[in-house]
Amino acid sequence: MTAITDTAPPYQTDVLIIGSGAAGLTMALRLPEDLDVLVITKGELVGGSTPWAQGGIAAALGGTEDVAQHVEDTIRAGANLPDRNVVQHVVEAGPAQIEWLESLHMPFTHEGDDTDTLHLTREGGHSRRRVAHAADHTGRSLTDTLVAAVQARPNVRVLEHHNAIDLITARRLGETRDACLGAYVLDIKADRVVTIRSRFTTLATGGAAKAYLFTTNPDSATGDGVAMGWRAGCRVADMEFIQFHPTCLYEPRAKSFLISEAVRGEGGVLLRPDGTRFMPDHHPDAELAPRDIVARAIDSEIKRLGIDCVYLDISFKGRGFIEKRFPMIHERCLEFGYDMTREPLPVVPAAHYTCGGVMTDLDGHTDIPGLFAIGETAHTGLHGANRLASNSLLECLVFGEAAASRIVEQRDIPPQEWPEIPPWDESQVTDPDEAVVVTHNWDELRRSMWSYVGIVRTTKRLSRARARINLLRREIHDYYAHFRVSNNLIELRNLVEVADLIVRSALNRHESRGLHYSRDFPETNPRADHFDTVLIPPPARPYPITRQDRSAGAPPPEEA
Ligand SMILES: Cc1cc2nc3c(=O)[nH]c(=O)nc-3n(C[C@H](O)[C@H](O)[C@H](O)COP(=O)(O)OP(=O)(O)OC[C@H]3O[C@@H](n4cnc5c(N)ncnc54)[C@H](O)[C@@H]3O)c2cc1C
């Protein structure tokens, strides 16, 4: 790997990969070494959700019967909405992905010190043990493994602190045929926009859970890939299916600290502020009900009582037990002033995983020639209405490889001639005058999504959210049209786009299924399928390069 701080933009590369999580790095490693690969990330090379993954990677390592069961488990978890062909394809590819990671020296946990047999755990929704893991830090070990391998690859260059603003497509440059030609990217440290021209481009930017006030995701999860793909002309699907984790510490300073389901597994109970238990009123299994039910019950208590959070109590198990069983959680909570050996912890559900995204085929290829989308950014058809635990890292690995293979197939086709890409023109925009507008809108957007587009939905609340999002969209667009771009502004522009897509998808789904629960449509419609809420993009608008062009690219009233 080489840092390319010494070469000057505009950059040119065979393959541009936007995002350095499990999906992006896998693809970089799966490409042949004679292709020039440029990975950009808006943060550090180690970033995104991948290092946060605790559980593991699902893979049917137990033979044919296990493959069949993994397929059925995935389809059941996804409330019959996953695409069976895609599920079969991904599940069959699972064991080879684990083997590949082992060949890269991924430190998986084994059955015993001297055995070659992987230790497999069982997670919710899996009918048997099939989750390979590296203790309780699989994501961190996976990241370290992939980063080390990428660093040994001379053909892979990495640009950190580079935030992709928009894709450059032939159609947006006035051509009748379309293709992705690269991206405009903000070099955050140098505070300038650079052009990257590429023959193949991949969106591997992770999820969009930052659209919600409470999330388990890192700050990077602002749905940039979905928003960029949508603006460029890609179809987007299943955005209404946002997975919420039931218990995240309710503490602004903790940002996104998960309180593991194991706390409930060990007897922890959920309480209202007055100390009464509420889960027995919602499900016969009380605190051990499925994740979605617990999240929905907490949400309904919070809304019904108008409170900020509920409480999770395990203090009655005693200090000795808690310190031994939950050392990391206990220590982290103490940092924020909560002693779980003596008192209940304040918790809220938090947005955890984005099931929908940019639509792709089995190779991760999108509607635009030369453009791929992989990992959490993509909608491949694997998850349907709910993600089966630990299937997401598997999806990153399988589609990272598949996209690379497709490029290998296409690399010898002579490239077409495309027009020159105009440089980013900032001559008619000025420095932002009131950065507070961005901060305020950011906060309002995430609060509105939390209040109106959360776990339990109604058509009235969704419509209210849509009205607010429309106002914010116009304001943010206006700001974007007049001022120089900044990191926060780029993210906010994407977040509002993605929030709009989530709300529109939710309004289009006239049933309750998987992660989408509507009080107005509480039943599942057996005839609904995954094309019901596919969103078709408006015709691609001209490039928002100059101030006038940016204004011209404003969302039309009926769309805004
Ligand atoms: C707390 C937690 C626990 C989880 N546990 C598990 C688990 O046990 N098993 C499992 O399978 N899944 C788990 N998941 C989900 C899984 O971790 C993610 O779905 C997966 O890591 C996503 O990988 P990715 O490569 O698609 O994106 P990410 O890992 O999120 O990487 C995205 C990358 O894109 C970059 N980026 C974003 N926008 C831009 C832009 N505009 N320009 C440039 N770069 C950009 C980011 O900086 C980052 O490098 C968990 C998630 C969380 C949050």
Side-chain angles (χ1 to χ4, degrees):
M1 184 189 91
T2 38
I4 54 172
T5 42
D6 52 343
T7 51
Y11 302 113
Q12 175 112 20
T13 183
D14 295 322
V15 186
L16 168 64
I17 299 175
I18 305 173
S20 61
L25 294 185
T26 298
M27 183 174 179
L29 289 169
R30 293 290 199 170
L31 285 162
E33 294 197 28
D34 62 337
L35 280 177
D36 182 69
V37 180
L38 177 56
V39 177
I40 65 164
T41 168
K42 63 183 176 183
E44 315 257 313
L45 177 56
V46 175
S49 289
T50 302
W52 296 56
Q54 298 164 355
I57 307 170
L61 296 162
T64 322
E65 196 189 325
D66 193 11
V67 168
Q69 285 173 356
H70 191 179
V71 168
E72 293 314 317
D73 290 348
T74 301
I75 292 174
R76 194 177 324 110
N80 290 323
L81 211 59
D83 181 326
R84 185 171 281 277
N85 286 337
V86 175
V87 178
Q88 187 78 34
H89 169 79
V90 173
V91 166
E92 279 175 2
Q97 298 301 328
I98 302 292
E99 260 176 48
W100 178 67
L101 288 175
E102 285 190 293
S103 76
L104 297 178
H105 310 294
M106 164 100 179
F108 282 116
T109 300
H110 286 78
E111 283 289 359
D113 288 345
D114 300 328
T115 72
D116 287 341
T117 314
L118 290 182
H119 179 265
L120 303 176
T121 56
R122 183 170 171 185
E123 292 191 314
H126 287 275
S127 54
R128 61 193 282 176
R129 286 179 174 269
R130 71 163 72 90
V131 177
H133 64 105
D136 64 352
H137 45 74
T138 305
R140 184 73 219 193
S141 297
L142 174 62
T143 303
D144 291 347
T145 304
L146 296 175
V147 165
V150 161
Q151 281 169 339
R153 281 294 195 90
N155 67 315
V156 180
R157 301 179 289 161
V158 174
L159 278 176
E160 295 179 314
H161 309 291
H162 277 67
N163 191 345
I165 304 169
D166 257 321
L167 297 169
I168 301 166
T169 62
R171 200 160 276 168
R172 292 174 87 182
L173 293 180
E175 295 287 302
T176 46
R177 293 160 307 143
D178 209 3
C180 186
L181 308 178
Y184 290 116
V185 174
L186 175 69
D187 175 345
I188 298 169
K189 289 200 164 159
D191 195 20
R192 63 176 175 183
V193 177
V194 299
T195 306
I196 301 179
R197 183 160 195 150
S198 50
R199 180 150 178 228
F200 302 99
T201 303
T202 299
L203 298 167
T205 57
K210 281 291 275 190
Y212 288 87
L213 191 58
F214 298 107
T215 172
T216 63
N217 285 197
D219 286 347
S220 61
T222 47
D224 298 6
V226 176
M228 282 189 278
W230 173 255
R231 284 195 294 267
C234 295
R235 285 170 305 155
V236 163
D238 286 356
M239 289 302 289
E240 68 275 34
F241 299 120
I242 302 289
Q243 191 176 63
F244 287 80
H245 193 284
T247 52
C248 187
L249 188 68
Y250 178 64
E251 163 58 57
R253 287 169 300 157
K255 266 197 166 173
S256 45
F257 182 55
L258 263 187
I259 307 294
S260 162
E261 292 188 49
V263 174
R264 278 177 288 122
E266 294 291 356
V269 289
L270 286 160
L271 306 173
R272 301 183 181 99
D274 66 3
T276 53
R277 245 179 112 190
F278 56 86
M279 275 314 299
D281 303 342
H282 292 269
H283 195 275
D285 293 338
E287 279 79 3
L288 298 181
R291 199 188 254 199
D292 308 340
I293 307 234
V294 178
R296 208 178 292 154
I298 297 175
D299 183 72
S300 108
E301 293 291 327
I302 287 176
K303 295 242 164 54
R304 192 173 66 80
L305 299 171
I307 51 180
D308 290 331
C309 62
V310 295
Y311 295 86
L312 178 58
D313 189 16
I314 193 161
S315 58
F316 51 85
K317 286 284 219 173
R319 178 180 297 275
F321 174 83
I322 292 170
E323 283 180 348
K324 186 152 182 275
R325 180 69 182 82
F326 302 114
M328 195 268 285
I329 298 177
H330 176 44
E331 198 180 305
R332 200 74 210 284
C333 289
L334 277 179
E335 284 169 25
F336 298 109
Y338 301 103
D339 183 351
M340 66 192 282
T341 65
R342 295 160 56 103
E343 61 193 339
L345 299 172
V347 292
V348 285
H352 187 53
Y353 185 79
T354 313
C355 291
V358 177
M359 287 184 79
T360 73
D361 63 14
L362 277 176
D363 292 336
H365 196 262
T366 69
D367 294 333
I368 300 178
L371 179 66
F372 295 82
I374 53 173
E376 201 170 328
T377 303
H379 169 279
T380 61
L382 175 68
H383 306 300
N386 197 353
R387 171 191 68 131
L388 179 65
S390 290
N391 263 359
S392 35
L393 287 176
L394 173 65
E395 188 186 40
C396 291
L397 296 165
V398 172
F399 283 88
E401 182 188 16
S405 305
R406 176 81 157 258
I407 288 177
V408 171
E409 277 168 24
Q410 293 189 346
R411 59 180 294 183
D412 293 330
I413 302 171
Q416 303 189 35
E417 288 294 315
W418 297 111
E420 272 301 298
I421 297 175
W424 187 261
D425 175 5
E426 293 196 315
S427 59
Q428 303 194 50
V429 290
T430 56
D431 283 330
D433 57 352
E434 287 188 87
V436 67
V437 173
V438 174
T439 328
H440 180 82
N441 284 347
W442 183 284
D443 191 55
E444 189 179 338
L445 178 70
R446 296 179 67 211
R447 272 181 201 283
S448 299
M449 289 296 286
W450 184 253
S451 304
Y452 302 130
V453 199
I455 299 165
V456 177
R457 297 162 180 177
T458 65
T459 303
K460 195 168 159 192
R461 278 192 214 147
L462 291 174
S463 306
R464 197 170 280 169
R466 182 117 208 258
R468 278 179 167 63
I469 289 169
N470 281 344
L471 287 174
L472 287 170
R473 245 181 123 206
R474 281 169 182 283
E475 211 168 293
I476 293 163
H477 189 90
D478 192 53
Y479 200 83
Y480 179 79
H482 289 86
F483 300 111
R484 294 183 68 226
V485 289
S486 64
N487 198 45
N488 283 347
L489 179 57
I490 293 168
E491 292 188 340
L492 179 62
R493 175 174 175 245
N494 291 330
L495 265 192
V496 80
E497 194 78 75
V498 166
D500 183 56
L501 295 172
I502 296 172
V503 174
R504 283 167 58 185
S505 304
L507 278 167
N508 285 351
R509 185 162 289 284
H510 295 167
E511 62 164 348
S512 288
R513 184 189 288 267
L515 299 166
H516 174 73
Y517 180 79
S518 163
R519 284 230 177 97
D520 298 301
F521 302 99
E523 306 298 328
T524 300
N525 174 2
R527 286 187 302 281
D529 80 13
H530 73 108
F531 287 111
D532 283 354
T533 61
V534 170
L535 297 173
I536 313 288
R541 299 185 207 109
Y543 253 108
I545 295 167
T546 65
R547 178 171 156 175
Q548 283 83 356
D549 287 343
R550 286 188 186 196
S551 303
E558 72 279 9
E559 204 194 293

